[in-house]
């Protein structure tokens, strides 16, 4: 016997449910992070996935099989991934380490660098490629997640790591902008980092999005210091669009930085209009922005991505909403948990109880752990690479053509599965 309210809720979930086009299964634990890569000499992207037990898997998206996998010995939960160039991937692990692997000679994985890093919260990190194998790392402070550390290092020198800023905080610099409408004595912990056009955007627990950049030190009468560490920090953008709710995610698009929070609005930060600091505008005053948002038909947006003209939003409740470039609804994806409860009791129980009651705490939907997308490529394989077409089978060419002609939404779930949904206009 099913109560009317529960039956209605179940029917709504079934009506919302759109099955994925296909699903990748190999991970034995929750997939915690995803990264789409383009390997040299391969016309199609590959997918790198990491899970809660330190397993990394590189996927061929045409055969839908693993290319190679790697298990970090200490089995840490993997938090974030970033491709940094030079055939290298940076992996942030929950054991307070950032590891850099060279994947240029697959299936061999070679760890080439390791940096102690704060993973007290689930903030990610940003690594900027400065050229000549020099890199800059922006992350949470090693002891205080409310402040930021900035490092520089050379990828071929394990002793080159240098912390050029320790415990960087922005609150005091923003006091003149806050006025009487914002009541806070700190910005809270750093929730998310992204980089765009030389500016680092940091989403804070207080709902602020702050953009800052590194400025080369002015020349002096002495010899010029060419070391990448010889820089200063300048704030170039401030928005409190989500105040007082925390920023949950940030993503970069060709026009904007998009931010999400616990409410039902997406922050829209136009990076093209920034007054980038230089010798002529270094005293340009900051302006606090707060009305730069769009309302969306979803709240508690834990992940936001833009793929071509599609906006992908994922929520804590396990729902994915697809919007068009005008923020109009296109589709909704939901992966339902099994309604069958497994029990070791041989007698069984068909009556409703607390274990099967439908509630917010016991949602029908699988928890979403990561969200990525792949853009469509509107070219024929033969025109793009004739040599490649002559070396692969007709069947593989057809599958490759079908895959790259579509945009895709890629979703990982707490149950270890990775689902692919084809994105189509309404």
């Amino acid at each position: 016997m099913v109560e009317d309210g529960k039956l209605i809720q179940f029917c709504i979930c079934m009506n919302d449910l759109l099955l994925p086009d296909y699903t990748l299964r190999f991970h034995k634990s929750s997939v915690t992070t995803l990264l789409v890569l383009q390997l040299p000499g391969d016309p199609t992207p590959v997918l790198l996935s990491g899970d809660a037990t330190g397993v990394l898997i590189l996927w061929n998206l045409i055969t839908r099989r693993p290319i190679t996998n790697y298990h970090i010995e200490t089995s840490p939960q993997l938090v974030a991934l970033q491709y940094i160039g030079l055939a290298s991937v940076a992996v942030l692990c929950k054991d307070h380490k950032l590891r850099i692997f060279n994947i240029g000679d697959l299936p061999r994985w070679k760890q080439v660098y390791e940096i102690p890093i704060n993973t007290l919260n689930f903030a990610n990190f940003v690594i900027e490629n400065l050229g000549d194998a020099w890199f800059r790392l922006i992350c949470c402070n090693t002891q205080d997640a409310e402040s930021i550390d900035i490092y520089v290092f050379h990828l071929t020198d394990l002793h080159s790591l240098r912390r050029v800023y320790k415990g960087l905080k922005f609150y005091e610099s923003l006091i003149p902008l806050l006025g009487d409408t914002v009541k806070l004595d700190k910005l809270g912990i750093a929730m998310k980092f992204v980089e765009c056009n030389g500016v680092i955007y940091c989403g804070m627990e207080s709902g602020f999005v702050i953009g800052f950049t590194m400025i080369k030190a002015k020349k002096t009468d002495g010899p010029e210091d060419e070391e990448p560490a010889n820089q200063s920090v300048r704030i170039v953008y401030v928005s409190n669009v989500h105040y007082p709710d925390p920023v949950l995610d940030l993503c970069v698009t060709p026009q904007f930085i998009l931010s999400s929070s616990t409410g039902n609005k997406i922050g829209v930060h136009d990076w093209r209009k920034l007054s980038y600091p230089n010798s002529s505008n270094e005293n340009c005053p900051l302006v606090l922005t707060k009305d730069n948002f769009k309302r969306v038909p979803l709240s508690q947006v834990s992940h936001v991505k833009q793929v071509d003209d599609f906006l992908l939003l994922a929520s804590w409740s396990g729902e994915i909403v697809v919007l068009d470039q005008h923020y109009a609804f296109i589709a909704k994806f939901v992966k339902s948990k099994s309604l069958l409860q497994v029990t070791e009791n041989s007698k069984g129980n068909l009556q409703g109880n607390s274990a099967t009651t439908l509630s917010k705490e016991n949602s029908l939907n699988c928890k979403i752990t990561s969200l990525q997308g792949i853009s469509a490529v509107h070219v024929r394989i033969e025109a793009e690479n004739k040599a490649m077409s002559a070396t692969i089978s007709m069947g593989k060419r057809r599958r490759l053509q079908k895959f790259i002609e579509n945009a895709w939404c890629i979703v990982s779930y707490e149950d270890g599965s990775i689902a692919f949904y084809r994105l189509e206009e309404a």
Side-chain angles (χ1 to χ4, degrees), residues 50-322:
D51 69 21
T53 59
V55 174
L56 289 157
I57 300 177
L58 194 66
W59 298 87
N60 182 315
L61 298 182
I62 305 304
T63 64
R64 305 172 190 174
R65 296 172 182 265
I67 300 171
T68 180
N69 63 82
Y70 182 85
H71 183 211
I72 298 175
E73 282 189 12
T74 56
S75 300
Q77 178 176 335
L78 306 184
V79 178
L81 305 168
Q82 183 186 337
Y83 183 72
I84 65 173
L86 303 181
S88 298
V89 174
V91 182
L92 180 59
C93 306
K94 202 62 178 170
D95 61 355
H96 311 296
K97 292 179 181 179
L98 178 73
R99 296 171 171 87
I100 299 178
F101 293 92
N102 184 280
I103 57 173
D105 189 24
L106 292 175
R108 181 170 176 261
W109 293 68
K110 181 182 179 182
Q111 182 173 321
V112 295
Y113 217 96
E114 184 175 296
I115 302 171
I117 192 171
N118 183 354
T119 49
L120 296 177
N121 64 340
F122 283 85
N124 62 337
F125 64 97
V126 163
I127 292 183
E128 296 180 280
N129 191 332
L130 304 178
D132 297 325
W134 278 101
F135 293 88
R136 181 188 295 126
L137 166 66
I138 296 94
C139 59
C140 292
N141 176 262
T142 51
Q143 295 178 320
D144 179 9
E146 295 184 6
S147 59
I148 296 170
D149 284 349
I150 301 177
Y151 299 84
V152 293
F153 63 95
H154 196 277
L155 196 58
T156 64
D157 182 0
L158 296 178
H159 303 289
S160 63
L161 182 67
R162 178 180 172 187
R163 182 159 54 180
V164 295
Y165 279 94
K166 178 182 178 181
L168 185 66
K169 292 189 177 183
F170 299 117
Y171 175 73
E172 291 186 0
S173 300
L174 301 184
I175 290 177
L177 295 178
L178 300 183
D180 297 330
T181 58
V182 178
K183 304 293 185 183
L184 78 164
D185 55 6
K186 60 181 180 179
L187 294 175
I189 64 175
M191 302 288 289
K192 191 69 66 172
F193 299 97
V194 295
E195 184 273 338
C196 180
N197 205 23
V199 176
I200 306 297
Y201 294 84
C202 182
M204 308 299 294
E205 185 183 15
S206 57
F208 278 69
V209 176
I210 299 170
F212 65 93
T213 188
M214 304 293 292
I215 308 299
K216 290 184 179 180
K218 293 181 178 180
K219 294 182 180 180
T220 62
D221 294 336
E224 184 176 356
D225 186 356
E226 295 293 341
E227 185 180 350
N230 189 26
Q231 310 248 318
S232 61
V233 173
R234 180 169 298 145
I235 300 174
V236 295
Y237 180 80
V238 182
S239 170
N240 66 336
V241 61
H242 298 295
Y243 171 81
D245 300 319
V247 175
L248 299 182
D249 199 15
L250 295 171
C251 82
V252 180
T253 80
Q255 298 85 27
F256 309 107
I257 306 295
L258 301 179
S259 58
S260 68
S261 184
T262 54
N264 66 337
K265 61 184 181 182
I266 297 298
V268 182
H269 314 274
D270 193 341
W271 59 263
R272 301 166 300 173
K273 295 182 179 179
L274 285 185
S275 297
Y276 291 96
N278 55 42
S279 58
S280 62
N281 65 5
E282 61 183 9
N283 295 320
C284 181
L286 284 172
V287 176
L288 182 63
T289 306
K290 61 180 180 179
D291 298 323
N292 50 321
F293 65 87
K294 294 286 187 180
R295 296 286 181 185
V296 293
L298 193 67
S299 61
Q300 297 182 335
V301 180
S302 56
H303 301 84
V304 56
K305 290 282 184 258
Q306 181 171 315
V307 181
D308 296 337
D309 292 331
F310 301 98
L311 181 62
L312 313 178
L313 308 176
S315 75
W316 281 342
S317 60
E319 298 175 328
I320 300 169
V321 170
V322 183

Side-chain angles (χ1 to χ4, degrees), residues 340-353:
L340 214 67
Q341 299 294 324
V342 178
T343 176
E344 296 181 0
N345 187 345
S346 60
K347 295 182 179 180
N349 182 7
L350 296 179
Q351 302 299 319
N353 54 40

Side-chain angles (χ1 to χ4, degrees), residues 333-366:
F333 306 140
V334 177
K335 180 178 180 181
S336 295
K337 294 179 181 177
S338 172
L339 294 179
L340 214 67
Q341 299 294 324
V342 178
T343 176
E344 296 181 0
N345 187 345
S346 60
K347 295 182 179 180
N349 182 7
L350 296 179
Q351 302 299 319
N353 54 40
S354 59
T356 57
T357 300
L358 300 177
S359 66
K360 292 182 179 179
E361 290 74 23
N362 187 24
S363 172
L364 284 173
N365 303 331
C366 283

Side-chain angles (χ1 to χ4, degrees), residues 310-423:
F310 301 98
L311 181 62
L312 313 178
L313 308 176
S315 75
W316 281 342
S317 60
E319 298 175 328
I320 300 169
V321 170
V322 183
L323 308 179
D324 67 15
Q325 57 185 326
H326 304 294
Y327 295 85
F329 178 86
I330 294 179
K332 184 177 180 180
F333 306 140
V334 177
K335 180 178 180 181
S336 295
K337 294 179 181 177
S338 172
L339 294 179
L340 214 67
Q341 299 294 324
V342 178
T343 176
E344 296 181 0
N345 187 345
S346 60
K347 295 182 179 180
N349 182 7
L350 296 179
Q351 302 299 319
N353 54 40
S354 59
T356 57
T357 300
L358 300 177
S359 66
K360 292 182 179 179
E361 290 74 23
N362 187 24
S363 172
L364 284 173
N365 303 331
C366 283
K367 181 180 178 182
I368 295 167
T369 53
S370 189
L371 177 70
Q372 286 291 327
I374 298 179
S375 296
V377 180
H378 300 289
V379 294
R380 290 196 60 79
I381 295 302
E382 290 81 2
E384 183 183 53
N385 195 329
K386 292 183 179 179
M388 184 275 295
S389 297
T391 60
I392 65 174
S393 67
M394 182 66 71
K396 185 175 180 180
R397 284 208 302 272
R398 283 198 299 265
R399 282 183 292 170
L400 177 59
Q401 184 67 36
K402 184 177 180 181
F403 182 83
I404 68 173
E405 284 182 344
N406 292 281
W408 296 88
C409 171
I410 311 172
V411 190
S412 66
Y413 292 97
E414 195 173 34
D415 64 0
S417 63
I418 304 172
F420 281 68
Y421 297 90
R422 182 183 285 106
L423 297 175

